[in-house]
């Protein structure tokens, strides 16, 4: 009987192996076809320009000629550590166990598998990786670079290489992936190949790992479900008015401008964390803009068109509510554009805006932060070439750029789980939204990158727009700004500096814990992240402001709600939006970037 079971098992294994080989052959065919659809590469966005590498080479020659002892010491230390690791590994293999050591990677989730510590082979690989990483970072740090920008770019590039070369990124040196392959008799690797091929097909020949299950969510069905009506539509935006949740509402309406880099439903993922739902429940007559996801026909749409759209949306809200003034909110790039709009209104003598709120908004780009590598001429010129070729700054490039600000979390980690472990991407609404990105019109993208980010014109000599030279100091309305403590896209100190440069006499600044999204989408029910409230005195630096600020547990929503209520007028009967042009979330939100 044992022989029969063995023969049956062998037949089943052989059959499974044959099926997997057939699947791999079919997937190989699909992979070749998918890769053939990739557009011609643009060297300007694939790597730094040759000037940076020449600068680094010159810096190394300078360091070598002026401080040869320092260079030699670094090399000797590296080879000494390497040879010691090699000798320790031989002894560990002889004993059959890894050497005891203080595990400096205890907090690094890449090395959470116990085999990294206990198995001589994996322990040797991990320790050598750490030695190599330290040597690369030390070598980059020791270079005598000509300026801080070059140093920060070299440091960033070095960190990218270090993260890319982690042993977890390769099948032969990833114990989790090898264990999974053995457990599943290779099925995980075949599923991983299926995931890889599907991603390449979906992204037009580029390898962009999916962060979430694209089939798990449908906007308007299980996310973005707050009840409302599209009350106005233009080629650039839809205006949504949300159904009131109270019998009485504040007299002054509230209009939110979300960023057009992503979709507006980040503010309405699900009822329990929906800022839109919460605002309606507070008695706000709420309007939200849903931006068009542009195609190549929008290539000549510029910042002036978006500012004009702001003014049109404001006019429509005022008409619908019979109110001369309104409160407005701008999130991220939409906050930057809101500040431009407020400066324009000030110069025109138009007082339609009663108060403004900025979510994670940059208006002073004197410090380019983590984007410094992407805001130099070599990369921006590459983007200009992309814009010239496609008429757009395509969502794919934007998404990739953002991902490489946090590569282990947004690139290598998801790739390991999907392609090596064969896991299905998670059904996570936030990651689904993150993958539902949008294109940017070519003209607007270049105005933003050149005029605002590189030249810092708005906070400096003035940003030319619609016949006016706009200045940050022209922003005079009462304002509230919310920044997030660990935000890597809009660092809070830079948000603070922009607010400090605004001309308003009534400024409130709130610093939320967490990052660009979690710090904003932080409902009262979670009681997860606290916030800082500080002085209205912006004459000192950001650090002195924080040191004098008081910390409060829980969300900032309620505090902002009180601030807003003080500027929203008396209570009036709730406003029914009617049937309009169709139900929320409208039609533009469903358009996916090609």
């Amino acid at each position: 009987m044992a022989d029969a079971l063995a023969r049956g098992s062998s037949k089943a294994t052989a059959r499974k192996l044959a099926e997997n080989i057939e699947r791999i052959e079919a997937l190989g065919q699909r992979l070749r076809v998918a890769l053939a659809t990739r557009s011609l590469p643009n060297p300007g966005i694939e790597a730094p320009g040759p000037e940076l590498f020449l600068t680094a080479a010159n810096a190394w020659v300078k360091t070598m000629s002026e401080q040869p002892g320092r260079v030699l010491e670094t090399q000797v230390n590296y080879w000494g550590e390497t040879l010691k690791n090699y000798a320790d590994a031989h002894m560990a293999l002889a004993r059959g166990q890894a050497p005891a050591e203080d595990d400096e990677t205890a907090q690094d989730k890449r090395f959470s598998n116990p085999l990294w510590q206990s198995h001589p082979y994996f322990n040797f690989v991990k320790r050598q990786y750490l030695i190599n990483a330290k040597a690369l970072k030390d070598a980059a740090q020791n270079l005598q670079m000509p300026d801080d920008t070059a140093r920060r770019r070299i440091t960033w590039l070095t960190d990218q290489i270090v993260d890319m070369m982690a042993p977890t990124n390769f099948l032969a040196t990833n114990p989790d992936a090898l264990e999974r392959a053995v457990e599943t008799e290779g099925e995980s690797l075949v599923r991983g190949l299926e995931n890889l091929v599907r991603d390449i097909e979906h992204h037009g020949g580029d390898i962009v790992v999916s962060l979430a299950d694209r089939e798990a969510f449908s906007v308007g069905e299980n996310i973005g479900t707050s009840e409302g009506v599209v009350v106005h539509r233009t080629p650039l935006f839809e205006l949504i008015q949300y159904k009131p949740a109270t019998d009485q509402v504040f007299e002054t309406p509230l209009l939110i401008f979300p960023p057009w880099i992503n979709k507006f439903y980040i503010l309405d993922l699900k009822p329990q964390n929906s800022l839109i739902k919460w605002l309606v429940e507070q008695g706000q007559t709420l309007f939200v803009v849903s931006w068009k996801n542009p195609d190549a026909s929008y290539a000549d749409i510029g910042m002036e068109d978006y500012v004009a759209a702001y003014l049109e949306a404001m006019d429509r809200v005022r008409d619908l509510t019979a109110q001369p003034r309104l409160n407005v909110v701008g999130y991220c790039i939409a906050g930057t554009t809101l500040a431009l709009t407020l400066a324009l209104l000030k110069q025109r003598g138009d007082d339609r805006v009663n108060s403004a709120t900025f979510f994670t908004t940059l208006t002073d780009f004197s410090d380019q932060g983590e984007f410094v590598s992407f805001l130099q001429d070599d990369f921006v010129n590459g983007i200009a070439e992309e814009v010239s070729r496609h008429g757009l700054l395509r969502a794919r490039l934007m998404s990739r750029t953002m991902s490489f600000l946090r590569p282990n979390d947004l690139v290598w980690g998801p790739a390991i789980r999907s392609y090596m472990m064969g896991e299905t991407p998670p059904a996570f609404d936030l990651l689904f939204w993150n993958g539902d990105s949008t294109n940017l019109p070519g003209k607007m993208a270049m105005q933003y990158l050149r005029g605002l980010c590189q030249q810092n014109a708005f906070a400096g000599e003035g940003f030319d727009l619609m016949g006016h030279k706009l200045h940050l100091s022209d922003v005079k309305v009462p304002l509230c700004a919310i920044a997030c403590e660990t935000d890597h896209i809009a660092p809070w100190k830079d948000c603070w500096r922009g607010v400090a440069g605004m001309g308003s006499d009534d400024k409130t600044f709130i610093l939320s814990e967490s990052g660009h999204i979690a710090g904003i989408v932080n409902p009262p029910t979670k009681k997860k992240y606290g916030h800082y409230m500080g002085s209205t005195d912006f004459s000192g630096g950001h650090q002195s402001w924080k040191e004098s600020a008081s910390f409060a547990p829980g969300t900032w929503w309620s505090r902002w709600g009180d601030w807003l209520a003080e500027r929203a007028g008396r209570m009036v009967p709730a406003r029914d939006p009617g049937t309009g042009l169709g139900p929320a979330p409208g039609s533009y939100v469903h358009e996916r970037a090609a």
Side-chain angles (χ1 to χ4, degrees):
M1 180 176 288
D3 290 339
L5 288 172
R7 286 195 300 272
S9 175
S10 298
K11 290 179 181 178
T13 301
R15 184 166 57 251
K16 184 64 175 178
L17 178 61
E19 291 173 357
N20 281 339
I21 291 174
E22 289 181 5
R23 289 165 63 190
I24 291 171
E25 289 177 350
L27 288 168
Q29 291 282 0
R30 286 173 55 191
L31 181 61
R32 284 189 289 273
V33 172
L35 290 173
T37 65
R38 187 175 189 267
S39 58
L40 292 175
N42 177 359
I45 59 173
E46 300 294 335
E51 296 85 359
L52 181 64
F53 294 106
L54 180 61
T55 298
N58 289 337
W60 186 87
V61 171
K62 179 179 174 64
T63 304
M64 185 64 183
S65 61
E66 296 181 358
Q67 300 179 0
R70 189 175 185 181
V71 175
L72 183 61
E73 181 184 6
T74 301
Q75 291 291 318
V76 169
N77 287 341
Y78 169 71
W79 285 111
E81 290 289 329
T82 296
L83 291 173
K84 180 178 183 300
N85 186 36
Y86 184 73
D88 288 345
H90 268 280
M91 294 178 63
L93 286 169
R95 293 195 306 265
Q97 65 181 41
E101 61 174 324
D102 293 330
D103 190 3
E104 59 188 279
T105 60
Q107 303 302 317
D108 191 334
K109 58 186 178 183
R110 293 177 300 175
F111 300 107
S112 59
N113 191 308
L115 289 176
W116 289 113
Q117 184 69 16
S118 63
H119 194 284
Y121 167 71
F122 289 112
N123 185 262
F124 166 74
V125 168
K126 181 190 74 171
R127 293 173 67 190
Q128 189 59 48
Y129 167 71
L130 296 176
I131 292 169
N132 294 344
K134 185 178 184 303
L136 280 172
K137 292 183 178 183
D138 287 347
Q141 188 63 35
N142 290 337
L143 290 176
Q144 299 184 45
M145 304 300 291
D147 54 58
D148 184 60
T149 296
R151 176 168 298 285
R152 289 167 71 179
R153 295 193 77 192
I154 287 294
T155 298
W156 180 84
L157 185 59
T158 302
D159 289 343
Q160 294 295 319
I161 294 171
V162 167
D163 290 339
M164 179 180 65
M165 297 307 296
T168 46
N169 296 340
F170 303 90
L171 179 62
T173 52
N174 187 319
D176 294 299
L178 291 172
E179 287 178 331
R180 180 68 59 85
V182 171
E183 290 169 1
T184 63
E185 296 182 341
E187 177 68 20
S188 61
L189 299 179
V190 179
R191 290 198 305 265
L193 181 58
E194 288 176 339
N195 291 341
L196 173 64
V197 172
R198 184 184 62 247
D199 283 345
I200 293 175
E201 289 175 337
H202 181 75
H203 293 100
D206 286 326
I207 303 177
V208 181
V209 61
S210 294
L211 299 179
D213 184 354
R214 287 187 289 268
E215 308 302 321
F217 300 98
S218 178
V219 183
E221 294 183 12
N222 56 359
I223 52 175
T225 59
S226 289
E227 194 172 354
V229 171
V230 177
V231 293
H232 186 60
R233 179 181 291 121
T234 77
L236 195 55
F237 71 91
E238 290 178 327
L239 181 65
I240 300 170
Q241 181 178 354
Y242 284 91
K243 184 177 178 179
T246 56
D247 294 333
Q248 297 280 308
V249 296
F250 287 104
E251 181 180 35
T252 304
L254 179 65
L255 171 59
I256 296 179
F257 294 102
W260 50 92
I261 292 176
N262 291 100
K263 305 288 183 67
F264 81 92
Y265 63 87
I266 186 60
L267 302 175
D268 191 35
L269 286 177
K270 48 194 173 186
Q272 54 266 43
N273 67 357
S274 169
L275 180 60
I276 287 174
K277 180 176 182 292
W278 184 84
L279 284 168
V280 171
E281 290 172 347
Q282 305 311 303
Q284 296 289 341
T285 299
L286 181 63
F287 295 82
V288 177
V289 165
S290 173
W291 298 103
K292 175 77 173 179
N293 196 347
D295 57 26
S297 66
Y298 284 71
D300 293 327
I301 296 295
M303 290 294 294
E304 61 272 19
D305 296 290
Y306 279 92
V307 170
Y310 276 49
L311 299 177
E312 182 174 355
M314 291 179 190
D315 284 337
R316 188 60 180 150
V317 169
R318 293 195 298 165
D319 290 343
L320 288 168
T321 60
Q323 290 295 311
R325 310 189 77 201
L326 71 167
N327 296 318
V328 291
V329 179
Y331 191 172
C332 191
I333 189 176
T336 308
T337 309
L338 175 59
L340 291 171
T341 306
L342 294 173
L344 177 68
L345 290 173
K346 174 61 179 176
Q347 292 192 17
R348 288 180 173 180
D350 189 328
D351 66 349
R352 69 179 67 188
V353 174
N354 184 57
S355 77
T357 300
F358 300 98
F359 293 167
T360 63
T361 294
L362 294 174
T363 50
D364 182 340
F365 294 86
S366 54
D367 185 344
Q368 297 171 348
E370 294 194 37
F371 285 93
V372 67
S373 294
F374 301 110
L375 290 176
Q376 305 312 304
D377 281 337
D378 51 1
F379 192 76
V380 175
N381 290 341
I383 292 176
E385 184 179 335
E386 281 284 295
V387 165
S388 177
R389 183 187 303 178
H390 303 286
L392 302 164
L393 175 50
R394 293 182 296 172
R396 194 178 308 155
L397 176 57
M398 279 293 300
S399 178
R400 187 183 72 177
T401 301
M402 295 295 185
S403 294
F404 275 100
L405 294 177
R406 292 291 182 269
N408 287 327
D409 294 330
L410 297 176
V411 180
W412 307 121
I416 290 166
R417 292 189 293 271
S418 185
Y419 305 152
M420 279 199 263
M421 307 291 286
E423 297 176 1
T424 301
F428 187 11
D429 54 0
L430 179 58
L431 291 179
F432 173 85
W433 168 85
N434 187 70
D436 189 13
S437 52
T438 58
N439 300 315
L440 299 184
K443 181 180 178 182
M444 172 264 143
M446 296 314 301
Q447 286 174 308
Y448 180 78
L449 292 172
R450 298 283 197 202
L452 290 171
C453 297
Q454 284 192 312
Q455 299 170 14
N456 196 27
F458 189 36
E461 296 181 356
F463 186 76
D464 291 316
L465 196 72
M466 301 173 76
H468 292 261
K469 188 175 284 290
L470 306 177
H471 295 88
L472 188 58
S473 58
D474 291 327
V475 179
K476 301 283 191 179
V477 301
L479 62 91
C480 180
I482 294 90
C484 300
E485 192 173 18
T486 58
D487 192 337
H488 64 285
I489 295 173
W492 81 267
K493 63 182 180 64
D494 300 319
C495 297
W496 186 95
R497 187 175 61 252
V499 172
M502 293 179 182
S504 173
D505 294 327
D506 181 1
K507 295 188 285 194
T508 298
F509 191 85
I510 301 173
L511 178 60
S512 173
E513 289 185 311
S514 196
H516 194 70
I517 300 301
I520 297 299
V521 184
N522 181 28
T525 53
K526 281 191 174 182
K527 299 180 181 178
K528 191 171 185 180
Y529 301 118
H531 63 279
Y532 297 86
M533 278 291 295
S535 167
T536 57
D537 179 9
F538 288 81
S539 59
H542 68 277
Q543 198 57 45
S544 63
W545 178 92
K546 186 178 180 184
E547 289 171 357
S548 66
S550 59
F551 178 79
T555 183
W556 54 268
W557 286 16
S558 300
R559 195 183 293 263
W560 175 59
D562 293 339
W563 182 92
L564 204 56
E566 293 174 359
R567 293 159 177 81
R570 63 189 179 90
M571 303 303 291
V572 299
R575 301 171 173 115
D576 186 349
T579 57
L581 304 176
S587 59
Y588 286 174
V589 74
H590 296 294
E591 298 174 348
R592 303 296 294 264

